[in-house]
């Protein structure tokens, strides 16, 4: 409002009349200059009340939230004093953690988990529009497709259970997607098709190849992991794409879903050049409703983003049994994510109580115990929200140096293998082996097999044997395949006797595909997705059944209903089978050969039949030719 | 008299100023486009075609660097080289030997990958005739004020380009697709670059206006690759795109380089083949077309001094339950493996089976079971 030197009184008059006009328009009775002063005062009071009543964690987010309030208050020109108290916004909370487990083979297993909890209701009538920590793209997917639970994972490599133990979150090679829909959905198949297309755009993966030929509806496996009362399996769909490649283009949108992105907190460690140079890499997104508190009357939505990676001793470790954050990820940590309420690193030191196996530096006094995978494990904890974790150099680079290589790994109780037997390109046999390493307890396993339609299974040849004897499953669900429409689905509940190997065999025949159905590289082979084995394995310690107590994220994924066993899911290897492949250059060869045969054979015959011969004089010399010309002119016959 | 002179002076001043305004306004609207799109396609599969993926990623990198965002780029890679098991350095694709420049980077979004890169999908992307459930990142949402850059690379011949070793697109199909785009007003100007053997044959049949085309070799010539890297074991880039990348690395968003400079990229001495170009369908003079008109996304900003009134923020109506203390039932987690429930799921059907495994353990009733038994199954099969 710079005043012009020449027209000052005029401008002042215009200003005064203008402000009077504004005041007349509003409902306030205060005079103009006083109003400006009071608006300035208001933001401060708004800030104070917001601080008191918000109760949010993290200083930065609090200030950010206040900022919105201030602008709101100013715009409304303090129409109602009640607006200064925050309207009850759904509370959201973000936690991040990293678990590092040194493995006996010298490899190292790192598992990142990022969890966002949000108390909101996507299924409400009016749409949710204000997203803060929860990513908007996923929130819109949930509300548009009425999703109750969504689990998607992208994995490169195969988890070697016998060398590495059990993972915290299992996943099969390739892409896997399973979704529980709400019971308000009328056409589940159409919704599933649209959902896969939308997810393929979000994650830059070719999930649009999921269609009825590789989707199944399990009847007993894959019960919902979130809360819920109804489990009608008509609303469940499961599909895998074993051929799906995982690379940086899948990691990039995955990182963008995190509240801090890859700029702060544990996500700065996620550099693709190191993550994909590993034996096993798996990233997943899990969305489900969970209990808000111990009473469990209201639900909140939980989004977990997990990333599991196993670094090889020889590839990434250069043969030395010494691991540090910098060696694994080529980065060190400098701060926690400001939006996180908790940011922790857990190192598994159960096998190293006195420090005789490996040495951990920098030392930390925080210890934590957790019941995970049927065992009580001890962890050293680094809390990144505390400034002194970073020390004087302001960066944290954990170092694990091995001192001795002795010690035995606890053998996992459940383990499975699968392979194709047989020879030739006509028939074959699929063998699935399930190992129970418990010395005296037997437990039930649920085996889910989804075989594509082009391997025609002969179910009458299905045999299940344990220790050489027939082992009849107590439940079988089989849905035969339909050519080009749906795959085989075989689900069996088998009791595994203690300390035994159970073998499931079934013979199959390979189908001949139509020539347009072959991929551009058919000699690579065709993939059969992993079998899924779900089981309740007896645990060595009493598991924690109270699901709402504060627990580290890695131990709270699978809900635990009883103390004596824990739920585990094991995936077998995918199979690669060769189908009888035609030679695609044959049409060209056939055309050439046919045309040649027709030309040579028919042409010769035609010539023989229709060709006539004429006698022709040899051409005469020059003199004779001139004489012939003169004779022709005279009308006399030539020589 | 004085006022007259003053008036004249004032008028001429206004006129001069006005001309100036017209000039700058003319410059402002000279290119005629308001947004930029890029469609970058690599059509080759298999590890030994590493260089085609590297070609496409170099153009992707330049185009992103000069300002076109991922949402305006449709990147189609027919095979994955970065995370291929034969790649000694995973998650990288190099363009220069000795691993100098990683064109794959850390922030890449591939829209069509693997088996999705087909002639049909490519033509659908260009013409916009995609199924309704296709996500936005896979669509070319251009309008009549868009400048589009289309880059194709792979193996080609006289009049065709091979897709994934199993199908091909001909120059007639491509020209017709561009004509469809013109009829539907899907582009303002289009720059077509192709790096294949005999690439000039692909732009021979174009007939729609506002198309400019560049190719790496003439009909009858082969485009050659640049240099192998002994650590990776394959040729890293094609010559034409290698020198194109070097040229583009010198371009920044404010650069004034024009198309004539682009035509001079990779002369015969460097490329061994003769690059060609076609500008007869293009309305403007190529010398006045900036490189950033196609490769960059230079936004033109018009500063206004008008004030805009923002409406009051919409207050979210909090739905409170009718009575404050509604009795809600307690939720609980579902049992993950309810063994007894599963065994009794089909009730009598499974329980009455004999010692031979019965196939009638389907969901639903017995009648469904009888209908669903396919012929030949459930009886004694061949040994």
């Amino acid at each position: 409002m710079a005043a012009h030197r020449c027209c000052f009184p005029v401008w002042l008059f215009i200003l005064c009349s203008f402000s009077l006009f504004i005041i007349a328009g509003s409902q306030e009775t205060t005079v103009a200059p006083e109003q400006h002063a009071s608006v300035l005062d208001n933001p401060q009071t708004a800030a104070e009340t917001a601080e008191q009543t918000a109760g949010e964690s993290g200083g930065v987010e609090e200030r950010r939230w206040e900022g919105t309030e201030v602008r709101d208050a100013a715009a409304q020109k303090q129409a109602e004093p009640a607006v200064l108290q925050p309207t009850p916004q759904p509370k959201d909370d973000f936690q991040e953690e990293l678990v590092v487990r040194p493995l006996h083979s010298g490899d190292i297993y790192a598992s990142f988990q990022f969890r966002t909890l949000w108390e909101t209701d996507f299924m409400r009538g009016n749409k949710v529009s204000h997203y803060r920590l929860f990513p908007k793209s996923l929130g819109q997917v949930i509300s548009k497709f009425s999703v109750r639970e969504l689990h998607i994972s992208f994995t490169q490599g195969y988890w070697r259970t016998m060398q590495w133990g059990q993972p915290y979150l299992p996943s099969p090679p390739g892409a896997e997607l399973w979704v529980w829909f709400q019971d308000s959905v009328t056409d589940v198949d159409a919704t599933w098709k649209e959902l896969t297309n939308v997810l393929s755009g979000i994650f830059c993966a070719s999930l649009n190849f999921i269609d009825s030929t590789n989707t199944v509806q399990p009847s007993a496996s894959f019960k919902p992991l979130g809360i819920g009362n109804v489990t009608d399996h008509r609303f469940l769909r499961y599909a895998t794409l074993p051929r799906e490649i995982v690379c940086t283009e899948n990691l990039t949108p995955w990182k963008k879903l995190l509240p801090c992105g890859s700029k702060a907190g544990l996500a700065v460690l996620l550099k693709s050049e190191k993550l994909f140079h590993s034996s096993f890499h798996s990233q997943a997104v899990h969305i489900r409703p969970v209990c808000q508190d111990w009473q469990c009357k209201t639900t909140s939505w939980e989004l977990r983003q997990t990333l599991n990676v196993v670094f090889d001793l020889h590839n990434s470790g250069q043969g030395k049994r010494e691991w540090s954050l910098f060696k694994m990820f080529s980065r060190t940590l400098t701060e926690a994510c400001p939006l996180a309420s908790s940011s922790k690193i857990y190192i598994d030191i159960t096998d190293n109580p006195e420090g005789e196996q490996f040495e951990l530096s920098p030392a930390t006094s925080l210890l934590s115990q957790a019941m995970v995978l049927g065992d009580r494990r001890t962890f050293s904890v680094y809390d990144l929200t505390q400034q002194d974790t970073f020390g004087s150099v302001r960066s944290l680079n954990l170092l694990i140096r091995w001192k001795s290589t002795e010690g035995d790994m606890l053998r996992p109780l459940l383990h499975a293998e699968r392979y194709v037997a047989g020879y030739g390109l006509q028939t074959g046999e699929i063998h699935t082996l399930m190992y129970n390493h418990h010395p005296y307890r037997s437990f039930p396993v649920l085996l889910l097999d989804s075989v594509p339609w082009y391997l025609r299974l002969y179910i009458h040849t299905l045999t299940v044997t344990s220790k050489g004897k027939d082992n009849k499953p107590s439940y079988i669900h089989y849905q035969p395949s339909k050519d080009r429409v749906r795959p085989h689905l075989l689900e069996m509940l088998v009791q595994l006797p203690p300390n035994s190997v159970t073998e499931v065999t079934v013979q199959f025949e390979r189908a001949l595909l139509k020539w347009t159905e072959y991929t551009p590289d058919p000699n690579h082979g065709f993939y059969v997705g992993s079998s899924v084995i779900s089981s309740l394995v007896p645990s060595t310690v009493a598991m924690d059944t109270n699901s709402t107590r504060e627990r580290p994220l890695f131990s709270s994924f699978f809900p635990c209903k009883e103390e004596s066993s824990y739920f585990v899911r094991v995936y077998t290897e995918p199979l690669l089978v060769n189908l009888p492949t035609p030679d695609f250059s044959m049409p060209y060869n056939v055309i050439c050969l046919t045309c040649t045969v027709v030309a040579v054979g028919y042409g010769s015959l035609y010539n023989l039949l229709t060709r006539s011969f004429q006698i022709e004089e040899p051409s005469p010399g020059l003199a004779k030719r001139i004489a012939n010309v003169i004779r022709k002119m005279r009308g006399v016959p030539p020589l | 008299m004085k006022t007259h002179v003053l008036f004249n002076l004032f008028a001429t001043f206004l006129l001069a100023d006005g001309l100036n305004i017209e000039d700058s306004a003319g410059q402002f609207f000279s290119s005629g486009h308001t947004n930029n799109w890029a469609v970058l396609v690599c059509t080759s599969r298999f590890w030994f075609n590493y260089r085609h993926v590297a070609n496409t990623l170099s153009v992707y990198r330049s185009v992103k660097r000069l300002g076109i965002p991922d949402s305006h780029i449709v990147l189609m890679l027919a095979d994955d080289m970065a995370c291929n098991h034969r790649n000694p350095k995973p998650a990288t694709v190099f363009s220069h030997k000795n691993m100098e420049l990683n064109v794959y980077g850390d922030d890449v979004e591939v829209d069509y990958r693997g088996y999705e890169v087909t002639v049909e999908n490519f033509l659908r992307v260009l013409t916009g005739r995609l199924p309704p459930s296709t996500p936005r990142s896979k669509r070319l949402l251009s309008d009549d004020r868009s400048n589009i850059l289309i880059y194709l690379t792979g193996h080609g011949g006289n009049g065709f380009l091979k897709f994934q070793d199993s199908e091909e697109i001909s120059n007639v199909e491509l020209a017709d697709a561009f004509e469809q785009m013109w009829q539907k007003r899907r582009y303002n100007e289009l720059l077509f670059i192709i790096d294949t053997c005999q690439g000039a044959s692909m732009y021979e049949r174009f007939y729609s206006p506002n198309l400019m085309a560049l190719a790496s070799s003439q009909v009858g010539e082969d485009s050659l690759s640049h240099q192998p890297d002994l650590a990776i074991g394959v040729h890293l880039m094609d010559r034409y795109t290698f020198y194109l990348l070097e040229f583009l690395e010198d371009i920044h968003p404010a650069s004034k380089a024009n198309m004539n400079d682009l035509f001079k990229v990779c002369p015969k001495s460097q490329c061994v083949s003769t690059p060609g170009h076609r500008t007869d369908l293009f309305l403007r003079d190529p010398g006045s077309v900036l490189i950033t008109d196609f490769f960059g996304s230079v936004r033109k900003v018009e500063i206004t001094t008008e004030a805009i009134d923002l409406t009051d923020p919409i207050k979210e109506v909090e739905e409170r339950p009718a009575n404050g203390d509604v009795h809600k039932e307690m939720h609980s987690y579902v049992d993950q493996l309810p063994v007894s429930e599963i065994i009794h799921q089909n009730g009598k059907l499974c329980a009455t089976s004999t010692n031979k495994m019965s196939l009638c353990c389907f969901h639903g009733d017995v009648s469904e079971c009888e209908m669903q038994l396919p012929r030949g199954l459930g009886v004694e099969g061949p040994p």
Side-chain angles (χ1 to χ4, degrees):
Chain A
M1 305 230 206
H4 283 235
R5 240 179 275 141
C6 49
C7 318
F8 182 73
V10 177
W11 280 111
L12 191 58
F13 175 72
I14 292 171
L15 183 70
C16 287
S17 55
F18 207 67
S19 46
L20 276 170
F21 179 77
I22 289 171
I23 291 159
S26 79
Q27 292 157 15
E28 289 307 303
T29 51
T30 52
V31 190
E34 279 176 36
Q35 189 200 17
H36 283 291
S38 54
V39 167
L40 283 168
D41 278 338
N42 249 346
Q44 285 163 13
T45 50
E48 282 163 13
T49 46
E51 241 178 88
Q52 286 156 15
T53 55
E56 295 279 351
S57 50
V60 176
E61 60 185 284
E62 217 172 314
R63 266 176 261 130
R64 226 177 277 158
W65 191 64
E66 274 165 45
T68 326
E69 275 300 312
V70 167
R71 263 182 259 127
D72 279 342
Q76 289 167 26
K77 295 200 195 325
Q78 29 155 224
E80 304 128 45
V83 80
L84 297 176
Q85 275 159 31
T87 52
Q89 298 269 354
K91 274 192 1 212
D92 47 6
D93 174 59
F94 175 65
Q95 293 174 343
E96 53 179 18
E97 78 175 27
L98 163 63
V99 184
V100 176
R101 188 165 96 192
L103 302 168
H104 279 264
S105 50
D107 308 325
I108 194 155
Y109 169 38
S111 172
F112 290 84
Q113 284 210 34
F114 303 92
R115 178 173 87 157
T116 309
L117 274 175
W118 197 20
E119 297 163 23
T120 184
D121 189 5
F122 284 111
M123 304 301 143
R124 214 170 42 173
N126 44 337
K127 289 190 287 199
V128 178
S129 54
H130 183 65
Y131 288 86
R132 206 171 69 98
L133 297 176
F134 202 92
K136 183 171 178 180
S137 49
L138 292 180
Q140 287 180 328
V141 162
I142 297 173
S143 48
K144 179 162 184 217
F145 298 109
S146 306
V147 165
R148 189 171 129 196
E149 249 185 62
L150 188 142
H151 301 270
I152 184 167
S153 73
F154 298 97
T155 310
Q156 176 201 63
Y158 173 67
W159 183 268
R160 297 171 205 288
T161 316
M162 287 308 276
Q163 283 129 321
W164 300 338
Q166 292 280 4
Y168 296 122
L169 285 137
S171 52
E176 184 202 42
L177 171 67
W178 57 282
V179 175
W180 274 92
F181 290 97
Q182 303 277 353
D183 32 6
S184 55
V185 175
T186 45
D187 188 355
V188 182
D189 287 316
T191 320
W192 168 253
K193 188 82 191 113
E194 278 184 39
L195 176 64
T196 52
N197 276 315
V198 165
L199 289 175
S200 86
I202 294 177
F203 291 106
C204 284
S206 33
L207 295 174
N208 45 316
F209 284 126
I210 292 178
D211 55 7
S212 66
T213 59
N214 47 22
T215 308
V216 291
Q217 187 185 314
S219 66
S221 313
F222 290 103
K223 296 260 183 247
L225 285 170
I227 60 177
N229 293 327
V230 180
T231 57
D232 186 355
H233 279 258
R234 280 183 298 132
F235 296 102
L236 168 65
R237 292 291 183 272
Y238 172 82
T240 53
L241 290 172
R243 185 93 200 255
E244 192 67 18
I245 306 153
V246 187
C247 208
T248 312
E249 65 247 24
N250 305 110
L251 188 63
T252 308
W254 189 93
K255 283 197 287 192
K256 287 184 183 164
L257 295 173
L258 294 171
C260 279
S262 54
K263 311 253 183 329
L266 289 171
V268 298
L269 299 176
L270 303 176
K271 287 293 155 201
S272 57
E273 283 185 19
K274 285 288 190 174
L275 284 179
F276 291 103
H277 196 48
S278 56
S279 307
F280 178 83
H281 169 97
S282 168
Q283 60 197 54
V285 171
H286 301 276
I287 303 176
R288 58 178 181 163
V290 293
C291 290
Q292 234 173 57
D293 49 15
W294 65 274
Q295 278 177 325
C296 212
K297 297 247 168 140
T298 43
T299 68
S300 54
W301 284 90
E302 179 195 75
L303 164 70
R304 273 192 203 227
Q305 288 181 251
T306 66
L307 196 140
N308 291 343
V309 60
V310 175
F311 290 105
D312 193 70
L313 171 67
H314 299 286
N315 258 340
S316 323
Q318 287 120 35
K320 280 199 298 196
R321 288 179 86 117
E322 184 185 296
W323 290 101
S324 68
L325 280 187
F326 189 78
K327 193 169 175 189
M328 290 196 279
F329 304 108
S330 68
R331 289 284 182 287
T332 58
L333 289 165
T334 49
E335 55 165 350
C337 173
L339 299 169
S341 60
S342 112
S343 177
K344 292 199 170 88
I345 300 184
Y346 294 86
I347 315 280
D348 190 337
I349 54 167
T350 322
D351 302 321
N352 191 34
E354 315 300 324
E356 71 275 1
Q357 276 232 322
F358 57 83
E359 180 198 316
L360 183 62
S361 65
T364 177
S365 53
L366 291 171
L367 283 179
S368 148
Q369 278 205 338
M371 249 74 72
V372 63
L373 296 172
D375 201 7
R376 184 188 306 269
R377 311 291 289 180
T378 317
F379 298 88
S380 291
V381 185
Y382 293 83
D383 192 347
L384 298 178
T385 48
Q386 310 292 331
Q387 265 309 312
D388 49 356
T389 318
F390 298 104
S392 53
V393 294
R394 312 266 245 138
S395 94
L396 176 65
N397 184 18
L398 291 172
L399 189 62
I400 300 171
R401 198 181 290 117
W402 285 79
K403 287 196 240 176
S404 75
T405 56
E406 62 207 38
D408 226 355
M409 184 184 72
L410 192 68
R411 221 158 45 145
L413 294 173
L414 177 64
H415 165 233
E417 281 173 2
R418 193 160 77 139
Y419 57 89
V420 172
Y423 59 91
L425 285 176
Q426 193 182 3
T427 53
E429 215 172 82
I430 298 180
H431 291 244
T432 311
L433 284 93
M434 295 182 282
Y435 296 84
N436 176 358
H437 292 299
H438 202 284
Y440 52 85
R441 292 275 298 272
S442 73
F443 49 85
V445 298
L446 189 58
L447 172 67
L448 170 77
D449 243 322
S450 163
V451 179
W453 64 267
Y454 41 80
L455 298 186
R456 303 188 206 276
L457 296 180
Y458 289 128
I459 290 292
H460 74 278
T461 58
L462 175 70
T463 58
V464 184
T465 48
S466 303
K467 290 181 175 170
K469 289 185 298 193
D470 226 5
N471 182 354
K472 191 154 118 21
S474 28
Y475 169 79
I476 305 182
H477 173 77
Y478 173 63
Q479 192 182 42
S481 70
K482 221 168 176 184
D483 270 8
R484 299 177 182 87
V485 170
R486 61 164 193 250
H488 298 271
L489 173 66
L490 178 63
E491 266 184 284
M492 293 196 293
L493 184 67
V494 184
Q495 191 82 4
L496 299 184
N499 213 6
S500 68
V501 181
T502 304
E503 188 168 344
V504 179
T505 59
V506 62
Q507 290 180 5
F508 65 88
E509 183 190 65
R510 298 170 213 235
L512 192 61
L513 300 177
K514 293 183 185 164
W515 77 289
T516 47
E517 289 171 345
Y518 285 96
T519 55
D521 53 350
N523 290 301
H524 181 88
F526 289 78
Y527 281 89
V528 178
S530 312
S531 300
V532 187
I533 294 163
S534 322
S535 166
L536 280 174
V537 179
S539 64
T540 50
V541 296
M543 298 296 291
D544 192 0
T545 52
N546 185 352
S547 58
T548 49
R549 214 164 55 145
E550 267 303 306
R551 283 199 288 188
L553 294 177
F554 60 88
S555 61
S556 62
F557 186 62
F558 288 113
C560 206
K561 286 270 183 169
E562 44 176 328
E563 289 188 345
S564 58
S565 58
Y566 63 99
F567 180 74
V568 76
R569 201 171 266 146
V570 176
Y571 291 92
T572 64
E573 299 96 324
L575 302 174
L576 184 61
V577 290
N578 265 321
L579 291 184
T581 308
D583 184 354
F584 291 101
S585 63
M586 275 318 281
Y588 170 74
N589 295 345
V590 164
I591 291 170
C592 284
L593 189 67
T594 315
C595 292
T596 310
V597 164
V598 166
V600 170
Y602 175 72
S604 329
L605 196 64
Y606 178 79
N607 274 337
L608 272 173
L609 292 175
T610 58
R611 195 160 48 191
S612 63
F613 292 94
Q614 286 173 328
I615 300 172
E616 195 184 283
E617 295 277 335
S619 76
L622 183 63
K624 271 203 179 161
R625 268 193 272 149
I626 294 171
N628 275 338
V629 165
I630 296 169
R631 277 175 167 242
K632 213 179 350 178
M633 283 196 310
R634 281 168 56 193
V636 172
L639 292 166
Chain B
M1 188 59 191
K2 260 196 198 162
T3 51
H4 219 60
V5 169
L6 260 169
F7 180 71
N8 278 340
L9 274 173
F10 191 57
T12 46
F13 170 70
L14 269 178
L15 202 66
D17 210 22
L19 279 172
N20 214 358
I21 293 172
E22 266 177 36
D23 228 3
S24 50
Q27 216 174 29
F28 190 88
F29 292 112
S30 67
S31 61
H33 74 282
T34 57
N35 53 73
N36 284 81
W37 287 82
V39 179
L40 311 172
V41 185
C42 161
T43 60
S44 305
R45 174 165 276 277
F46 304 121
W47 174 245
F48 49 83
N49 289 320
Y50 183 101
R51 57 189 188 280
H52 297 138
V53 173
N55 288 350
T56 317
L57 287 171
S58 331
V59 179
Y60 173 75
R61 172 206 150 76
S62 311
V63 146
K64 256 182 95 154
R65 199 174 49 82
L66 293 172
I68 303 188
D70 269 314
S71 53
H72 282 226
I73 303 177
V74 177
L75 178 62
M76 303 169 80
L77 297 179
D79 201 1
D80 169 57
M81 298 301 163
C83 288
N84 196 315
H85 294 292
R86 285 161 119 162
N87 194 345
K89 290 207 66 161
T92 58
V93 173
F94 292 108
S95 61
H96 288 63
K97 70 174 177 194
N98 299 327
M99 302 185 187
E100 279 167 23
L101 180 59
N102 175 16
V103 288
Y104 194 58
D106 218 8
D107 184 23
V108 57
E109 286 183 21
V110 182
D111 301 305
Y112 286 85
R113 56 186 206 158
Y115 299 129
E116 289 181 293
V117 179
T118 58
V119 173
E120 185 190 338
N121 279 348
F122 175 58
L123 291 177
R124 280 186 186 280
V125 164
L126 285 185
T127 53
R129 292 156 73 171
L130 290 157
S133 52
T134 316
R136 279 183 74 102
S137 59
K138 288 184 163 174
R139 287 178 188 262
L140 180 65
L141 298 164
S142 57
D143 52 25
D144 63 325
R145 292 277 124 230
S146 311
N147 273 12
I148 308 183
L149 165 73
I150 297 187
Y151 177 82
L152 293 176
T153 183
H155 288 291
N158 190 353
F160 67 93
L161 169 63
K162 207 165 60 154
F163 266 70
Q164 293 211 47
D165 215 16
S166 66
E167 49 181 0
E168 64 277 329
I169 183 172
S170 66
N171 47 6
V172 177
E173 278 175 358
L174 197 57
D176 286 339
F178 287 154
E179 176 64 14
Q180 244 194 73
M181 286 174 79
W182 175 251
Q183 300 276 349
K184 290 165 126 177
R185 297 283 178 268
R186 279 171 69 79
Y187 70 90
N188 174 40
E189 283 168 352
L190 201 145
L191 176 64
F192 175 78
I193 305 181
I194 183 160
D195 188 353
T196 62
C197 303
Q198 308 192 49
S201 63
M202 290 302 285
Y203 61 65
E204 272 173 1
R205 300 293 192 109
F206 289 172
Y207 55 96
S208 317
N210 274 349
L211 291 178
M212 195 191 304
L214 281 103
S216 61
S217 55
Q218 300 292 331
V219 175
E221 285 180 350
D222 283 337
S223 280
L224 300 174
S225 60
H226 189 238
Q227 53 182 335
D229 180 297
L230 295 175
I232 299 177
V234 284
H235 284 257
L236 294 180
M237 283 273 270
D238 277 332
R239 283 179 187 252
Y240 180 74
T241 314
F242 182 82
Y243 291 107
L244 179 69
L245 174 67
E246 279 195 1
F247 170 75
L248 288 173
E249 288 286 301
D250 289 332
I251 307 284
H252 53 90
S255 148
K256 294 284 168 209
N258 57 38
M259 281 296 158
N260 285 334
D261 303 326
L262 191 61
F263 296 152
K264 293 195 206 108
V265 162
C266 207
K268 196 170 161 77
S269 53
Q270 280 177 327
C271 251
V272 184
S273 57
T274 320
H277 54 90
R278 180 181 176 174
T279 53
D280 57 320
L281 294 166
F282 205 72
L283 294 178
R284 289 194 287 152
D285 170 40
S288 69
V289 180
L290 298 176
I291 300 278
T292 50
D293 277 353
F294 288 102
F295 285 88
S297 179
V298 182
R299 302 297 170 108
K300 300 205 166 57
V301 178
E302 188 186 308
I303 301 175
T304 173
T305 49
E306 285 173 27
I308 300 173
D309 268 327
L310 295 172
T311 56
D312 283 333
I314 304 164
K315 273 186 286 219
E316 253 188 69
V317 178
E318 268 294 314
E319 266 178 28
R320 304 244 173 255
N323 28 344
D325 209 7
V326 182
H327 172 69
K328 296 181 211 165
E329 76 258 31
M330 216 169 116
H331 300 281
S332 60
Y333 286 99
V334 178
D335 207 353
Q336 288 300 303
L337 193 68
V339 176
S340 50
E341 202 185 291
I342 291 173
I343 293 175
H344 293 107
Q345 204 163 311
N346 291 325
K348 43 191 190 278
L349 289 175
C350 272
T352 54
S353 62
T354 55
N355 52 359
K356 196 164 85 158
M357 270 184 280
S358 164
L359 283 171
C360 285
C361 292
F362 293 165
H363 263 310
D365 52 356
V366 188
S367 56
E368 206 183 294
C369 160
E370 283 168 11
M371 276 195 316
Q372 278 197 4
L373 263 183
R375 223 170 280 281
L377 222 55
V379 274
E380 291 289 343

